[in-house]
Amino acid sequence: MTYTKKDLISTKDLSKDDIYSFLNLAKEYKKLNLEPVKKDPILKGVTVVNAFFENSTRTRTSFEIAGKRLGADTINFSSSTSSTNKGETLIDTINNIEAMKTDVFIVRHYSSGSAQFVAKNTPSCVINAGDGCNEHPTQALLDLLTIFESKGSFENLTVTIIGDIFHSRVARSNIYAMQTLGIKVRLFGPPMFMQNAEIFGCEICRDMDEAVRGSDAIIMLRIQLERSDGEVAFPSVREYSKYFGLTKRRLEVAKDNVIILHPGPINRGVELNSDVADDPRISSILDQVENGVAIRMAVLKTVYQNKFKA
Amino acid sequence: MTTLIKNATIINATQTLKANILIENEIIKSISSDEPKADKIIDASGKLVFPGLIDMHVHFRDPGLEYKDDIITGSMSAVAGGVTTCCPMANTNPVNDNAVITRDMIAKAKKRGLIDLLPIGAITKGMGGKGITEMGDMSEAGCVAFSDDGLPVSSSDVMRSALEYSAFHKSFIINHSQDCSLCRGGHMNEGKMSMLLGIKGMPREQEEIMISRDMLLAKLTGGHIHVAHVSSAYSLKLIEQAKKDGINITCEVCPHHFTFDESELISYDTNFKMSPPLRTKSDVEAMRNGLKNGSIDVICTDHAPHHTDEKFLEFDKAPFGILGLQTLVPLTLNLVRQGVISYNDMARLTSKNPAKILNLPNKGEIKEGFLADIAIIDPDFEYVYDESLNKSKSKNSPLLGKKLKGASLITIKSGRVVFDFPNVVA
């Protein structure tokens, strides 16, 4: 493994070799996960805290399973039952849990930059499980593993990310990692979510047909209604689905072997129609979920071991 | 009591003069080559003798939020920065929206006697944006202008009345130019950097829209609108045009807006979180041009203390604002070193113009008969702005712990030395 940090906060910190190392290790864990006894107790005795200050089912469960398969004691913590509801600060909450001699924090939080903020202020390992609109690096890695398995290589690939780009931490982490790998990334979404998107250095598509055409993989983003508080959003989900939703009919202009990814949960009939989401020939959504556990096992093992290498 | 400042290089807005300054009690008695006897002699060789700086926009958090700063620690920060006159904003708790609070604030500052404290009263009762305050009473009590500070007056009708009524009382309105309907929960400048960081942004147009409205209302009423902490290039264009058209408008800029740009936010450091937010490099350049060409009237600090615990949070939870009083001189001197403005311009922007706008006839210059408010500045003095120097109760400055160049080594208020830079022989 080439990655040397004790935290994983951003895919901007990953070199090409780092990404391949994570994917290769994840592939080994994926094999393990098919065994009847799914255990590599390399983190036996390690306490991993799922510090989730924002609702999540899939990511939290995925990290919990990953930790347990590595032998760690995984503790779940959610903001609805935490002292943050009593006014405790984020760092006080983290420090208090750390005082119980925990080792790794998996941080999900609604504020951009919060995972970095926690990492700077704790000696524990910190894995960013999604910080506000900023990043979600393990999601990007699992997307990359899914794409790699389908395409066999990252050479000459075009990936298009469609939807609410501004509010998407999945988009940012994917863009940075894919650009490091030399993948061509294209973006498309409603104009109110695309302002200044040129900063990412990606091609910006003008409509769904253009976005779909020529893509090897399409990542459909979930509409993040919960993150657009105070903003004027698009007029209606009906119109969103008309101009920005992916249906079987829209895929008529797509490459034959295009795959569709979605970080979930899906708003069915809005950004993604069931005729696409449930078609195993096109949809890689459940592969993403499966790969998520393997990727998180690889990341957990790596960052924890890095803590003792520094 | 007499004090002689000898070998002074006097920096006024319009001239530089080498002379000796004799202070008698509170007043500058004479400026000449004579060396009369005095009770106290200060040798200012090699230093620059500026008129005491006047900061039109500070927050002392007193009454009500004294854990951040109070009128005394605010005053101490001011004189440590060469500032002898401060105008604290009305967003105290309770709000300074009546003459009783105004008088109380002034009395507290006077009792300590470090600075002249000239409050800015609220435009509307409780800064609620509706009924305007008793501006006449408050002016009599000592308010020099009116502002609802961070809660800009949204109603054009209320603002019209405020401009008309303040003008009747020979005062003026300061507005935090922000069309809040465009705020969108923003925490930084909206642009490429906010997209990159995934932080909601505030478009500069929210400032420009409000300035446009206010200048039109100033045109309608003949009242004086002073634009607080201008931050966008196009805002300055609007102000320049309004001035050309004879509209009664002035404006101020803060050192952080002519020093830092939004790229500082890459580390999510909440000490760079301020409102208006740090904008782009080209906006910073526009501020510097505005200072150079005279379209910006005043440099002020928007000194906004916040307790460490309040800033030690996730970026979007932290409050807006940074300390400014003790970094005003070094950041403004940077402009002189970089050839943007002259020392005389600095005196104009930090003292002469604020005195003129605030209608303070005996301040803003080192002149016979004027109040002896003086900052003896060493532009080359290097030091670390650390916690031992910081006089505020708060520490929310991105410059804390950094090496700075230039400081007021001695600050004199009404003839009395109120600050001596520690461990330095001036």
Side-chain angles (χ1 to χ4, degrees), chain B residues 115-167:
Chain B
I115 59 163
D116 283 334
L117 183 137
L118 310 174
I120 310 287
I123 296 172
T124 62
K125 289 164 191 157
M127 301 204 316
K130 290 178 182 165
I132 60 171
T133 54
E134 294 175 333
M135 293 181 180
D137 258 9
M138 292 175 76
S139 295
E140 275 184 35
C143 279
V144 287
F146 296 90
S147 176
D148 278 359
D149 191 59
L151 298 173
V153 176
S154 308
S155 160
S156 299
D157 191 36
V158 172
M159 185 54 107
R160 174 190 177 160
S161 297
L163 281 162
E164 283 166 340
Y165 197 60
S166 63

Side-chain angles (χ1 to χ4, degrees), chain A residues 60-89:
Chain A
R60 185 181 54 73
T61 309
S62 182
F63 269 110
E64 185 178 358
I65 291 172
K68 286 191 163 139
R69 288 193 180 159
L70 294 174
D73 298 308
T74 306
I75 309 299
N76 284 321
F77 158 94
S78 66
S79 60
S80 57
T81 56
S82 81
S83 296
T84 50
N85 269 359
K86 300 176 189 169
E88 188 170 65
T89 66

Side-chain angles (χ1 to χ4, degrees), chain A residues 205-224:
Chain A
C205 302
R206 288 162 297 183
D207 56 40
M208 269 306 265
D209 279 354
E210 188 184 336
V212 168
R213 193 175 288 123
S215 298
D216 295 291
I218 297 172
I219 300 178
M220 295 302 297
L221 300 174
R222 190 171 67 84
I223 309 175
Q224 310 260 343

Side-chain angles (χ1 to χ4, degrees), chain A residues 109-112 172 227 231, chain B residues 195 198 200 314 316-317:
Chain A
H109 197 281
Y110 46 82
S111 297
S112 298
R172 284 179 185 77
R227 262 191 265 284
E231 297 170 31
Chain B
M195 179 50 117
K200 287 179 189 175
E314 305 87 293
D316 51 6
K317 277 192 171 177

Side-chain angles (χ1 to χ4, degrees), chain B residues 11 47-48 50 53 81 255 258-259 288 291 299 326-347 349-350 376-383 404-409:
Chain B
I11 308 289
K47 314 291 186 299
L48 304 174
F50 275 76
L53 277 57
F258 62 68
T259 303
R288 294 156 74 93
L291 288 163
I299 294 174
Q326 288 185 249
T327 50
L328 167 63
V329 165
L331 295 185
T332 307
L333 282 170
N334 280 343
L335 295 177
V336 179
R337 276 189 281 273
Q338 291 156 7
V340 178
I341 59 171
S342 65
Y343 287 129
N344 304 104
D345 291 332
M346 179 169 161
L349 290 157
T350 59
I376 300 178
I377 290 174
D378 183 344
D380 299 318
F381 178 63
E382 291 188 347
Y383 57 102
L404 302 179
K405 193 172 179 183
S408 177
L409 297 189

